[in-house]
Amino acid sequence: EIINWVALDREQHSQHSLRVMVYGLEDQYGSSEHQELRYFSVREDAEPATVIGSVSVSDKNRFQYTITEGDGSIYFGIDSLSGDIYVNQPLDYESATQYFLVVRAEDVGPSVGVNVSVLVSVAVEDVNDHTPWFPDKLLMFGLKEDAVVGSPVFAFHARDADGTFPNSALRYTLTFDPEVSGSPPHFPFHINSHTGTMTVASPLDRESTPTFVFMVTATDQAKRMDECKQTSVMVQLFLLDVNDNRPVFVSADSVQLKEDTEVGSVLHHFVAVDGDQGENGLVSYSIMAGNKKGFFTLEEKTGICFFVHKPDEYKIKIKMLFS
């Protein structure tokens, strides 16, 4: 296996030449009359003392087995008589996926025999031993009610510390309970199961539904369903008001004025309502036309219209101004 240790740049060097030199096992591990190679695998959750295989080299001669070197010498032990290799320390796939050992088998029979060096490769198998997690257990954020259908709202990202794809790959689901949220049964959002991105699925209206409470769950893709692990985050989404409602008059739109009405009398109280929130729902009033001679005054904030001069005959139009 050839591993690249530095970044490559094709524009600077389009080709590279390598010299590969192959040495015999005796050259690398010292002179010996015989050498062997063994492969074993073990789950990362194997308990200490679990036997993963044997390096026994003969059923006839008596051999004594010892681990002479290798990066796995502290994680594995060997039965000196049988050659069985067993787990000595807890393993963790996320820390190391493979170990190498050199086992020496010495013939301890009555006659001088063959000494054997056994190269052992131990592959650690990943186990779905990590539960996914979200950075927060509760999320709260706002979204303008005029968000366009199809636009992204939020990207949920859970984490999983397992080392292989099935055990760390996450799929996202969204659960919405209208009774908990106090909202209508229709849920106007959609979540991409692979990316965790939530988008607007239908038009929003803060005046009808100001908030949504729902849960997002991330589940890993372990091969066995009973080994799958998951985590959830509770979400509260607030719709932010935009000025999308026109004020509407709820008071009468016509007024009769008697000839003997006294100057300074209240002519009419104009009332309009606006479904928007905060400053967007504040209404101000003004006379648009028909009051050139100033027979009437209208309070901007209250909508109260006063009679200030006597006309013989007059018609008035009211325009409502809003922020």
Side-chain angles (χ1 to χ4, degrees), residues 307-322:
F307 175 58
V308 293
H309 293 290
K310 280 190 176 184
D312 295 331
E313 183 179 358
Y314 207 82
K315 294 181 179 180
I316 185 171
K317 294 182 180 179
I318 302 297
K319 178 187 177 183
M320 176 177 54
L321 300 179
F322 57 95

Side-chain angles (χ1 to χ4, degrees), residues 53-89:
S54 177
V55 294
S56 176
V57 295
S58 174
D59 294 331
K60 298 179 180 180
N61 296 357
R62 291 178 55 194
F63 284 87
Q64 185 173 18
Y65 300 91
T66 56
I67 297 176
T68 58
E69 58 183 300
D71 59 356
S73 58
I74 65 172
Y75 292 96
F76 300 95
I78 192 168
D79 186 305
S80 62
L81 298 179
S82 67
D84 290 344
I85 295 179
Y86 56 86
V87 177
N88 194 42
Q89 296 285 342

Side-chain angles (χ1 to χ4, degrees), residues 3-19:
I3 301 175
N4 177 38
W5 290 102
V6 296
L8 302 179
D9 187 344
R10 182 185 179 282
E11 283 67 35
Q12 293 185 3
H13 299 285
S14 60
Q15 291 183 344
H16 295 271
S17 298
L18 301 175
R19 174 181 294 178

Side-chain angles (χ1 to χ4, degrees), residues 157-174:
H157 290 297
R159 302 289 186 268
D160 193 308
D162 283 306
T164 55
F165 179 76
N167 293 335
S168 61
L170 300 176
R171 297 293 180 266
Y172 298 88
T173 56
L174 191 152

Side-chain angles (χ1 to χ4, degrees), residues 180-194:
V180 174
S181 182
S183 307
H186 172 67
F187 190 70
F189 301 99
H190 168 76
I191 192 167
N192 185 305
S193 62
H194 289 78

Side-chain angles (χ1 to χ4, degrees), residues 272-323:
V273 294
D274 191 307
D276 289 312
Q277 186 183 38
E279 293 184 356
N280 293 332
L282 297 177
V283 177
S284 60
Y285 304 85
S286 65
I287 298 174
M288 181 179 179
N291 192 35
K292 293 182 179 180
K293 296 184 179 181
F295 292 111
F296 309 98
T297 60
L298 181 65
E299 289 189 348
E300 179 182 1
K301 294 183 178 181
T302 65
I304 298 177
C305 183
F306 293 93
F307 175 58
V308 293
H309 293 290
K310 280 190 176 184
D312 295 331
E313 183 179 358
Y314 207 82
K315 294 181 179 180
I316 185 171
K317 294 182 180 179
I318 302 297
K319 178 187 177 183
M320 176 177 54
L321 300 179
F322 57 95
S323 57

